[in-house]
Amino acid sequence: MVLSKHINPDRLMQGAQDKHFKHHNLTGTDPNSINHAYGARYSTEPIPKYKIASKGTDAQSAYQLIHDELALDGSPTLNLASFVHTWMPEPADKLMRENMSKNLIDQDEYPMTQVIHERCVSILADLWHAPSSHNAIGTATTGSSEAIQLGGLAMKRLWQERRKAAGKSIHEPGPNIVMGANAQVALEKFARYFEVECRLVPVSVESKYRLDPKKAMEYIDENTIGVYVILGSTYTGHYEPVKEMSALLDEYEAKTGHFVPIHVDAASGGFVAPFATPKLEWDFKIPRVVSINTSGHKFGLSYVGVGWVIWRDKAHLPKDLIFELHYLGSVEYSFSLNFSRPAHPIIGQYFNFVHLGFEGYRSVALDDLKNARILSRALERSGYYTVLSDIHRQIGAGGVSGAVSKVLDEENVENYEPGLPVVSFRFTDEFKQKYPDIQQKWIQILLRSRGWIVPNYELPPDLESIEILRVVVRESMTAVLVERLVADIVEITEDLMKQDSPAHALSALSLHAKPQQNNSKAHTGKLEEGSGSKPSGTYAKTC
């Protein structure tokens, strides 16, 4: 039998198709395909919420419906509660859209994407003064939370290796990690998820609402895997004293022989301190700093979805945390918690490095700090508010903004206390004494009615009786918005001071807002109030 010399592929495909069952209805048309104005059939029918519909709708209608619902969200520009960056230039948007479908983990398929990833790691290692930026090791993460887990895991593994080498138990009494009570909840998550005792060091007014290194030494022993030191507290923006903490640990090691490393949580400060205050010592210049994390989507000026963790060298990343992969077409290595992850956030980060350079990042950081200083001074000069953050205070002024010298160059950032462009403030003691019925949380509620999102919350344990309002001054918080914000805060405050603005009316307003908040929580994974563990006091709100 002779095989045919030519096969028509079109006929093959036609014959291989499923046979259609033809059903004729009265109209002969599919009602779901009718292009109604605006929302198609969901203009009058409920949109699917809890189970998938049997039939969908056209893409444009689906877009319009979801777009309209999301319009009820707050404005990212006016969200002063968040550290997360919300704007990038149009060319960056285009570049990220072009690469949105790429998977970072597939190094064989997308080799240049991996090269860009490696460049970003080297750039950050060099920026943070790693001994050798070419030999530094690090990875992109989904944010600082994942990066913190990796940094903590590496310290735990190395502690276990040291204990085993010394013939000591790794289980009794087990590992612990030390951090300030002002730690962001991601740091405490590491301890809980990876079975490490979390030792929270109380903060105080004297310690500037941050980790007190001398107090921290009372919590350290031979089972301490490391200390988390925060470069930029989420409460007040203060930098914790990395150098002082390291010096005390040097003394401790000399006396006891126990090595306790430092991981710097530079989620926000990692992209501020190197540019605004390059003389500040906090990074790999300090030998005890073994790893650093940061969020590219905060002051790294990228969209949400990218963080970084860098180790000073390969010796501080245990081999059992590195996985060798063979099934994607080549030998690849992975040491992140996630496997597949989008490549476009990393590409967006590299765009910023190329586009801005050192001077560009420095210019943005200095502008943010300048606007934060203006806001701080304006609030204090109103007489209604005390500012807890210190970036507007002259170094050595003893925490009193009025002690600034007349000859001070007010535009030179080196003359001020280093910190994040964050303004934390509260009612003055005099204001609270004169107007005891006015609650500070009402400022948050009334600002929200004007579009501003400014959180009001308690300080960490031992200071939880103090409530603060907090504004994060990002690149999009321009001088004109600072001016408008000050005007709104002053106007709202003075309205509350008037006798014809009864407190009970505002109290009713705050009660009115609670059901809506509770309703939104009820839809979060079907969890009811009390489903989670009790809070330990660390900052556990959106940031």
Side-chain angles (χ1 to χ4, degrees), residues 390-527:
D390 287 327
I391 54 168
H392 63 302
R393 296 192 171 98
Q394 183 181 357
I395 292 176
V400 181
S401 59
V404 177
S405 169
K406 291 182 179 180
V407 296
L408 173 69
D409 178 2
E410 294 192 348
E411 293 195 339
N412 185 356
V413 71
E414 299 290 344
N415 290 323
Y416 298 96
E417 293 284 347
L420 298 179
V422 168
V423 181
S424 296
F425 57 104
R426 63 174 179 83
F427 285 148
T428 63
D429 293 338
E430 295 78 11
F431 184 93
K432 288 191 291 184
Q433 187 175 10
K434 190 173 182 179
Y435 302 99
D437 294 332
I438 297 179
Q439 298 184 36
Q440 192 169 282
K441 66 179 181 181
W442 294 348
I443 304 296
Q444 173 187 352
I445 296 169
L446 291 175
L447 282 173
R448 187 69 177 88
S449 70
R450 300 190 183 199
W452 302 105
I453 302 175
V454 177
N456 180 82
Y457 56 94
E458 303 84 14
L459 286 176
D462 290 354
L463 294 176
E464 59 265 43
S465 61
I466 302 175
E467 290 185 351
I468 61 171
L469 294 151
R470 189 198 67 187
V471 169
V472 180
V473 179
R474 306 191 306 270
E475 183 183 16
S476 56
M477 187 62 179
T478 58
V480 66
L481 289 181
V482 171
E483 181 181 349
R484 188 63 257 162
L485 176 64
V486 169
D488 283 345
I489 290 175
V490 169
E491 183 178 336
I492 287 169
T493 306
E494 291 181 344
D495 279 348
L496 289 172
M497 294 160 58
K498 295 176 182 177
Q499 293 297 321
D500 59 352
S501 185
H504 67 267
L506 192 55
S507 179
L509 173 63
S510 65
L511 290 173
H512 225 29
K514 288 180 181 178
Q516 183 179 1
Q517 294 169 358
N518 292 336
N519 186 47
S520 64
K521 290 178 182 177
H523 293 302
T524 306
K526 303 292 184 181
L527 293 179

Side-chain angles (χ1 to χ4, degrees), residues 265-443:
D265 173 21
S268 298
F271 275 106
V272 176
F275 302 110
T277 51
K279 296 178 184 178
L280 182 69
E281 292 186 53
W282 65 273
D283 55 19
F284 291 126
K285 282 185 177 180
I286 301 172
R288 196 167 292 274
V289 175
V290 298
S291 50
I292 302 172
N293 71 273
T294 195
S295 292
H297 59 233
K298 293 182 180 176
F299 292 100
L301 308 182
S302 298
Y303 290 131
V304 67
V306 59
W308 301 93
V309 58
I310 312 291
W311 287 269
R312 68 180 302 113
D313 51 46
K314 295 179 181 178
H316 291 94
L317 178 62
K319 288 185 178 180
D320 69 346
L321 294 183
I322 303 174
F323 288 82
E324 186 174 291
L325 313 173
H326 291 268
Y327 78 91
L328 288 176
S330 63
V331 177
E332 300 165 2
Y333 298 91
S334 172
F335 46 94
S336 57
L337 298 180
N338 282 354
F339 188 65
S340 292
R341 69 175 70 239
H344 66 275
I346 288 84
I347 294 170
Q349 184 73 81
Y350 186 61
F351 171 90
N352 282 339
F353 288 153
V354 174
H355 169 57
L356 293 171
F358 186 94
E359 288 302 322
Y361 268 107
R362 177 173 169 81
S363 177
V364 171
L366 293 182
D367 285 351
D368 291 348
L369 287 165
K370 182 175 181 178
N371 283 334
R373 289 198 302 271
I374 293 170
L375 175 59
S376 299
R377 294 190 193 116
L379 289 170
E380 287 197 331
R381 291 175 183 178
S382 71
Y384 306 143
Y385 293 97
T386 294
V387 176
L388 282 68
S389 42
D390 287 327
I391 54 168
H392 63 302
R393 296 192 171 98
Q394 183 181 357
I395 292 176
V400 181
S401 59
V404 177
S405 169
K406 291 182 179 180
V407 296
L408 173 69
D409 178 2
E410 294 192 348
E411 293 195 339
N412 185 356
V413 71
E414 299 290 344
N415 290 323
Y416 298 96
E417 293 284 347
L420 298 179
V422 168
V423 181
S424 296
F425 57 104
R426 63 174 179 83
F427 285 148
T428 63
D429 293 338
E430 295 78 11
F431 184 93
K432 288 191 291 184
Q433 187 175 10
K434 190 173 182 179
Y435 302 99
D437 294 332
I438 297 179
Q439 298 184 36
Q440 192 169 282
K441 66 179 181 181
W442 294 348
I443 304 296

Side-chain angles (χ1 to χ4, degrees), residues 56 78 100 111 117 159 222 234 250 255 260 348 354 379 399 415 523:
L78 301 182
M100 196 173 291
H117 173 261
W159 173 84
E222 64 177 306
T234 51
D250 289 344
K255 292 178 182 177
V260 180
V354 174
L379 289 170
N415 290 323
H523 293 302

Side-chain angles (χ1 to χ4, degrees), residues 100-114:
M100 196 173 291
S101 60
K102 291 183 179 178
N103 186 357
L104 181 66
I105 199 65
D106 197 342
Q107 300 171 21
D108 187 62
E109 184 70 21
Y110 309 118
M112 281 311 302
T113 299
Q114 186 59 32

